Amino acid sequence: MPPDAHTTAPARRDAVYEQVVEGFGTVRVVPVDPPADAELIHSWVTEERARFWGMLDASVPRVLELYDYVDSLDTHHAYLVHRDDRPVALFQTYEPEADPVGECYDVQPGDFGVHLLIGPTAGAGERGFTAALLSALLAYAFSDPRHTRIVAEPDIHNDKVIDRLLRTGFTLGPEIDLPEKRARLLFLTRDDR
């Protein structure tokens, strides 16, 4: 074992997407490593502010089990979003036709689903943080030319997220019933950005 093995920082993981956002920093989208990230994700999803994520009572083993399952799928993906190498959000993507949401609306070719959970912040929130982060994540989603419309389905009671998506250019779709929630569909096309 090398003499500095105990003091060496963990290796930086490869990102699937990286963007420098002027005045904000470098945003890196890194695939979740369930065994390495389960405790961090657990600490985020079990906070009251994350109640709409639906995992308030989840244990660390349950979080590991869920993200191992997501990791096994070709249609659903989970990422930790880093800002200047610090994890700041959990971002999940999915193909709507392979998800329960696809049974609730007429899925169009090019639809691409997203979920976003911003990690906790120390102290007061940073003005413009969510807008800058969301802009980079939408750029990532649209970086694949097959993705022509982003689909989101927040809980109908999550006014904060619905408002943020509307201010970002999303348009309202219908309310739908999913197994775990009543949700509001929102859509963003490339032309709406």
Side-chain angles (χ1 to χ4, degrees):
M1 179 182 290
D4 64 345
H6 297 291
T7 59
T8 304
R12 187 176 198 229
R13 290 189 221 161
D14 290 336
V16 296
Y17 182 79
E18 187 169 317
Q19 179 183 344
V20 176
V21 179
E22 189 174 334
F24 184 74
T26 301
V27 175
R28 299 179 72 244
V29 180
V30 179
V32 164
D33 175 347
D37 299 330
E39 286 190 29
L40 173 65
I41 294 170
H42 174 266
S43 73
W44 290 0
V45 301
T46 55
E47 288 189 351
E48 174 56 30
R49 64 175 197 79
R51 67 189 171 283
F52 294 117
W53 205 254
M55 297 178 68
L56 287 179
D57 297 326
S59 63
V60 172
R62 178 67 178 143
V63 169
L64 176 59
E65 176 186 10
L66 288 169
Y67 284 92
D68 270 338
Y69 174 71
V70 170
D71 195 42
S72 75
L73 301 173
D74 291 330
T75 57
H76 293 65
H77 302 282
Y79 305 96
L80 281 178
V81 182
H82 294 246
R83 176 191 189 191
D84 297 330
D85 292 323
R86 186 174 65 86
V88 295
L90 179 61
F91 184 59
Q92 294 179 201
T93 64
Y94 63 93
E95 295 173 18
E97 66 273 6
D99 191 87
V101 74
E103 299 171 17
C104 300
Y105 83 101
D106 184 21
V107 177
Q108 302 296 310
D111 280 0
F112 187 65
V114 299
H115 299 287
L116 175 62
L117 175 67
I118 306 271
T121 59
E126 179 184 342
R127 187 165 181 77
F129 177 90
T130 303
L133 192 67
L134 191 54
S135 174
L137 294 175
L138 292 173
Y140 165 59
F142 281 125
S143 69
D144 185 327
R146 296 171 298 172
H147 303 157
T148 57
R149 183 169 74 159
I150 306 301
V151 179
E153 33 40 73
D155 186 289
I156 62 165
H157 301 294
N158 196 342
D159 297 329
K160 207 171 169 181
V161 166
I162 292 170
D163 180 58
R164 163 52 62 197
L165 293 176
L166 290 172
R167 286 185 284 139
T168 303
F170 281 76
T171 58
L172 286 176
E175 289 185 8
I176 59 171
D177 289 310
L178 293 170
E180 71 285 355
K181 66 182 178 184
R182 180 138 178 93
R184 168 67 80 173
L185 284 172
L186 290 106
F187 303 99
L188 179 72
T189 67
R190 284 182 189 278
D191 295 337
D192 292 336
R193 287 182 62 211

